[in-house]
Amino acid sequence: MPETISGVLERIMFSNEENHFLIGDLRPDDKKTTITVTGAMPGVQCGETLEVTGDWVVNPKYGTQFKVTTVKSTLPSTVHGIRKYLGSGLVPGIGQHFANKIVDHFGVETLTIISEESARLREVPGIGAGRAKSIKAAWEEQHAIREVMLFLQTYGVSSARCVRLVKQYGNEAKTILQNEPYRVAREIDGIGFKTADQIALNLGFGNESPKRLDAGLLFSLEELESEGHTCVPSRLWVEHATQLLQTTEDKIEARICHLIEAKDVVSVDEGHRIQLPNSHRAETTIADAISRSLKAASGLPPIKVDAAINWAQEKASFEFAGEQVEAIRTGLTEKISIITGGPGTGKTTILRALVQIVSAKKVDIVLAAPTGRAAQRMSEATGGFAQTIHRLLKFEPHNGRFAHNESNPLKTQFLIVDESSMLDARLAAALLRAIPKRAHIILVGDVNQLPSVGAGNVLKDLIESKAVPVTRLQKIFRQNEKSSIITTAYNVLNGAKGTPYLLESTAELGAEYDLQFIKATEAEECLRVIEYLCKQFIPNKLRVDPLRHTQVLAPMHRGVVGISNLNTVLQKALNSQKNGFSFGAYKYCIGDKIIQNRNNYDLNIYNGDIGTIESIDFENATLQIQFDSESVEMTRSGLHDVSLAYAISVHKSQGSEYPIVIIPLVKGHFMMLQRNLLYTALTRGKQKIFIVGDPVAYFMAVKNADPAQRFTDLKEKLLEAIK
């Protein structure tokens, strides 16, 4: 017989934001001791009063627990519950210190006072008019979030998404959800079609209503775009949407015609391929910008190219290879050119020479890269000033646009973009539309790496179009020939089947080797080896700080050696701090390494930026985080855009290099085991690489040379534009 218990959630021991499974300590209203509760409890936070229904079960390892089947969250009504709730940091402006003072003063009436008579908060010593006003405002926002959360609990929407809903719609959030659920799916990142659809169907929206089919079709196209496509074959779209919406193809095709007429999608090749308007505009912009540049005269002053190359060689004190000379000559004589090559092929020498030559001619030169780490490396390599593309173009949060565009171009005569394989269609379009037509443009990158995280395949498409000259760097220079890292990377690229230096156990590890493969066929064993490397071998044998000098790069998020679990284990192993903010699946503490997962233009931090938590203000619920070039103050709600970064994905590592890289490879990663992924991971390590895992998984990755095809239309648009 199910039992219902009401009490205060004292502590969260484990929380998984993906499925909302939680393990926590609940103190029942009539008890002084806590009970362990487990189950799906979306959106609950420490200090809340919960009414849980479920059954008692006995866990062989952890003892008696209460398995929750349903949960209701209510505002606390006891002094203890109120104190715990306010002290949890849920209401910005009230930390543990002020929570105690407020509750000591008002007792069980505390929440009523905050809600209805907030001016009385000034009766509490230390709370002035300003703090009382901010507490009231934060309380009202929290109340609106709570209303939405209670409504969305059955749909599995996380607290972070609820915060976004309230910020977007304010007090109208619940009404909009009930009346226009598909609008929410379009406008709120993270509230996908599936959640909106579940809400809509439960509210009585028809399964084959035009609104549902249209919303589902657009969501289907967005899902395909999230896989990297910018232009999808109609047949693929119909099949994908039909399966998603569980309807017939004739009904889907009828709505596609409507979406084309309404200009919600763009028809290509008389309807054989389809694009979202943003992708169509982005690729058209790239093609037009390149065509415009190719047709315009060069804006450089006269340069004696052979003499300039000889001068650069004298400054470098060595003679350039033929490929390097060709790349420099092409960059100086052609309006647009591409330089592509792997590690050790001399890209740095070329860039340094180009920067020196054009700087000596007083040319306005701009250096840029997609990420902060890549820009920093570019600055160090060339001696020039490099910055991220976002900072270069100056994003303006108030209007959602870049300050520099075709109407307000950058003041430059010469642009070099490093790590160009990371350019997706939209970012490339934003950059190219801001370049003066007489400027020279050089795109530098390794086309064999993973393609961009965002939709498009810009570098590969430009190379295959043959519309611009390409220099392929293939010679690996002498100073790198002894590097096992580079040798192994090229062996992977060429499909060589042998594994690098394979060790049967950690006892065989040596500090002198730059690449070692520790055999660990089981995921649990792989995890133990990684923990040993980070906690013992790297600090004790290599004598470096594993937090500052080591990065774990994992192929997948889930599983024992997935990114999520690796972060939990490595945080415990490497950071002794215990006090912090619990948010989602993690607790964030001082000293933690974190990664930004979305562009935040207000804070000037971007997707992929890695930082360290320097301090936490529990009273005001803020964190001070030092990124590479920015120190930012982040509120608790900002944590929905970050995650721990002890382990990150290989995709997120692009554009960066790390002194030491650890790569877990197990057969459970089979869905992501691809040659370009392994090659990209290997080329991130500067000094040491440890591969930990199953040699069979390594062979699987090397063998899989055919990554999923990306459908784009850039090549066709470019060839049409330059006719």
Side-chain angles (χ1 to χ4, degrees):
M1 184 76 177
E3 182 180 342
T4 299
I5 301 172
S6 181
V8 175
L9 187 62
E10 296 276 347
R11 184 164 68 113
I12 296 175
M13 293 177 284
F14 174 80
S15 175
N16 185 333
E17 193 166 301
E18 288 184 2
N19 60 14
H20 307 286
F21 180 81
L22 179 142
I23 303 173
D25 285 339
L26 185 83
R27 188 167 89 164
D29 294 338
D30 57 347
K31 302 282 174 104
K32 292 186 178 180
T33 57
T34 62
I35 63 172
T36 300
V37 292
T38 69
M41 291 175 260
V44 303
Q45 298 286 348
C46 195
E48 289 192 67
T49 295
L50 304 179
E51 184 180 281
V52 294
T53 301
D55 297 286
W56 292 98
V57 297
V58 178
N59 185 295
K61 188 174 181 180
Y62 300 106
T64 303
Q65 300 177 335
F66 191 78
K67 188 176 181 180
V68 176
T69 53
T70 62
V71 59
K72 293 181 180 178
S73 176
T74 61
L75 289 174
S77 56
T78 65
V79 168
H80 170 76
I82 295 169
R83 194 185 304 275
K84 190 79 176 176
Y85 180 74
L86 291 181
S88 69
L90 274 174
V91 182
I94 305 180
Q96 191 63 60
H97 173 69
F98 276 111
N100 288 333
K101 294 179 76 171
I102 294 169
V103 176
D104 287 344
H105 188 80
F106 295 116
V108 293
E109 295 183 359
T110 295
L111 300 184
T112 303
I113 296 296
I114 295 174
S115 180
E116 300 174 10
E117 302 177 69
S118 59
R120 288 189 59 193
L121 288 170
R122 297 171 65 184
E123 297 174 14
V124 179
I127 297 183
R131 184 179 287 274
K133 186 177 180 181
S134 66
I135 289 173
K136 171 66 172 176
W139 174 262
E140 288 181 346
E141 181 181 359
Q142 190 65 32
H143 179 73
I145 293 170
R146 186 176 198 82
E147 283 280 298
V148 176
M149 284 174 61
L150 288 171
F151 174 69
L152 290 177
Q153 273 186 342
T154 55
Y155 307 109
V157 178
S158 70
S159 56
R161 310 299 183 224
C162 292
V163 170
R164 288 184 188 164
L165 277 165
V166 173
K167 283 189 174 180
Q168 178 86 1
Y169 302 125
N171 292 331
E172 296 296 311
K174 184 177 177 181
T175 302
I176 290 171
L177 272 168
Q178 290 173 316
N179 297 322
E180 301 178 82
Y182 295 115
R183 170 185 167 187
V184 174
R186 290 194 309 272
E187 297 179 358
I188 305 294
D189 188 39
I191 305 287
F193 168 79
K194 292 179 181 178
T195 300
D197 194 40
Q198 188 181 358
I199 296 169
L201 293 175
N202 284 353
L203 290 172
F205 282 72
N207 191 58
E208 294 182 348
S209 68
K211 282 187 178 181
R212 178 176 186 265
L213 296 179
D214 289 355
L217 273 162
L218 291 173
F219 172 72
S220 170
L221 200 53
E222 288 164 1
E223 271 207 328
L224 291 168
E225 187 172 278
S226 72
E227 296 174 8
H229 310 300
T230 58
C231 188
V232 178
S234 300
R235 188 72 246 155
L236 175 63
W237 185 26
V238 169
E239 291 172 357
H240 188 275
T242 300
Q243 185 174 3
L244 170 73
L245 294 165
Q246 293 296 294
T247 187
T248 59
E249 290 190 0
D250 60 317
K251 289 186 172 62
I252 291 292
E253 289 167 351
R255 296 314 301 173
I256 287 177
C257 294
H258 167 76
L259 291 174
I260 293 173
E261 290 173 5
K263 297 185 179 179
D264 289 323
V265 298
V266 178
S267 170
V268 181
D269 298 338
E270 298 181 348
H272 293 296
R273 293 185 295 154
I274 300 291
Q275 289 191 285
L276 286 167
N278 283 338
S279 291
H280 177 74
R281 281 193 294 271
E283 290 188 335
T284 300
T285 297
I286 295 169
D288 289 347
I290 290 175
S291 174
R292 183 176 65 247
S293 177
L294 291 174
K295 293 172 183 176
S298 169
L300 295 184
I303 297 176
K304 295 179 180 178
V305 175
D306 289 335
I309 292 173
N310 289 334
W311 174 79
Q313 288 181 126
E314 289 175 8
K315 287 184 70 69
S317 300
F318 61 87
E319 186 175 344
F320 299 158
E323 293 172 346
Q324 294 173 314
V325 171
E326 178 190 348
I328 296 168
R329 183 186 307 280
T330 303
L332 295 173
T333 57
E334 299 286 345
K335 291 292 303 302
I336 303 178
S337 60
I338 293 172
I339 302 169
T340 183
T345 54
K347 294 192 294 292
T348 297
T349 297
I350 296 167
L351 296 188
R352 190 185 300 119
L354 283 166
V355 170
Q356 290 172 342
I357 291 169
V358 296
S359 296
K361 285 290 185 177
K362 308 300 181 184
V363 169
D364 289 327
I365 182 171
V366 167
L367 307 177
T371 68
R373 291 285 178 95
Q376 183 179 344
R377 286 173 49 217
M378 194 180 188
S379 293
E380 294 167 354
T382 63
F385 172 68
Q387 57 189 313
T388 66
I389 295 170
H390 284 92
R391 291 188 174 97
L392 172 68
L393 298 179
K394 294 183 173 59
F395 189 82
E396 298 175 331
H398 64 278
N399 62 19
R401 298 176 181 175
F402 288 109
H404 289 292
N405 49 42
E406 58 269 28
S407 302
N408 180 29
L410 292 163
K411 294 179 179 178
T412 182
Q413 297 166 280
F414 206 93
L415 169 72
I416 304 177
V417 183
D418 201 6
E419 297 290 350
S420 296
S421 64
M422 298 178 66
L423 286 175
D424 60 53
R426 295 186 191 182
L427 184 58
L431 175 64
L432 293 175
R433 71 159 59 98
I435 307 303
K437 64 182 180 180
R438 298 186 67 195
H440 283 231
I441 301 170
I442 300 177
L443 301 179
V444 184
D446 186 348
V447 77
N448 292 308
Q449 286 189 23
L450 290 167
S452 58
V453 176
N457 213 350
V458 175
L459 185 64
K460 185 171 182 287
D461 286 345
L462 292 180
I463 291 173
E464 290 184 353
S465 75
K466 299 182 180 178
V468 296
V470 178
T471 304
R472 297 180 185 271
L473 305 175
Q474 297 176 317
K475 181 179 178 181
I476 304 172
F477 290 93
R478 187 178 304 279
Q479 60 264 37
N480 290 319
E481 283 180 353
K482 293 182 180 180
S483 168
S484 295
I485 294 174
I486 291 178
T487 301
T488 302
Y490 280 104
N491 285 343
V492 167
L493 194 59
N494 295 323
K497 295 180 180 179
T499 62
Y501 187 39
L502 187 63
L503 313 179
E504 291 294 328
S505 72
T506 54
E508 300 177 40
L509 284 164
E512 67 273 26
Y513 303 110
D514 67 346
L515 191 150
Q516 298 171 83
F517 190 148
I518 305 102
K519 187 177 180 180
T521 55
E522 299 298 325
E524 290 76 9
E525 183 186 5
C526 180
L527 182 64
R528 286 193 296 272
V529 172
I530 292 171
E531 188 174 3
Y532 168 79
L533 287 170
C534 291
K535 196 171 182 179
Q536 297 185 49
F537 184 82
I538 290 171
N540 297 333
K541 298 296 183 180
L542 301 185
R543 300 190 181 282
V544 297
D545 179 2
L547 263 177
R548 292 177 55 205
H549 295 90
T550 303
Q551 186 60 61
V552 179
L553 303 180
M556 293 181 68
H557 284 269
R558 298 182 181 181
V560 174
V561 281
I563 293 165
S564 179
N565 192 53
L566 280 166
N567 273 315
T568 300
V569 170
L570 293 177
Q571 180 191 40
K572 185 177 180 181
L574 299 177
N575 191 352
S576 60
Q577 294 287 330
K578 302 300 181 186
N579 292 330
F581 278 154
S582 292
F583 194 90
Y586 301 123
K587 176 183 279 188
Y588 296 91
C589 305
I590 294 173
D592 276 338
K593 184 161 63 170
I594 62 100
I595 185 167
Q596 180 73 15
N597 294 317
R598 287 163 47 86
N599 293 337
N600 187 322
Y601 300 105
D602 294 321
L603 295 179
N604 204 25
I605 51 177
Y606 301 96
N607 187 2
D609 285 355
I610 289 180
T612 303
I613 299 175
E614 292 191 315
S615 62
I616 299 175
D617 182 344
F618 289 96
E619 288 296 328
N620 295 304
T622 60
L623 300 86
Q624 198 69 30
I625 304 175
Q626 180 63 53
F627 290 90
D628 287 333
S629 57
E630 297 283 336
S631 180
V632 305
E633 184 179 83
M634 184 175 289
T635 63
R636 182 188 179 96
S637 63
L639 290 175
H640 64 251
D641 284 340
V642 306
S643 58
L644 293 177
Y646 296 90
I648 63 174
S649 69
V650 180
H651 262 111
K652 292 284 189 184
S653 73
Q654 285 183 270
S656 299
E657 284 185 342
Y658 312 94
I660 302 170
V661 166
I662 300 174
I663 307 168
L665 284 179
V666 295
K667 285 184 285 188
H669 294 153
F670 70 93
M671 290 181 64
M672 296 296 292
L673 293 177
Q674 297 172 352
R675 186 181 294 181
N676 61 352
L677 181 136
L678 179 55
Y679 172 77
T680 301
L682 287 167
T683 56
R684 300 307 93 204
K686 290 173 64 177
Q687 298 168 10
K688 306 278 185 184
I689 284 184
F690 299 93
I691 302 173
V692 184
D694 192 336
V696 174
Y698 182 89
F699 296 143
M700 290 167 67
V702 173
K703 184 179 179 181
N704 186 8
D706 297 316
Q709 180 182 0
R710 288 196 170 192
F711 295 107
T712 67
D713 193 49
L714 176 57
K715 187 164 58 174
E716 291 81 356
K717 284 182 169 63
L718 179 56
L719 293 175
E720 180 66 27
I722 62 176
K723 278 183 180 179

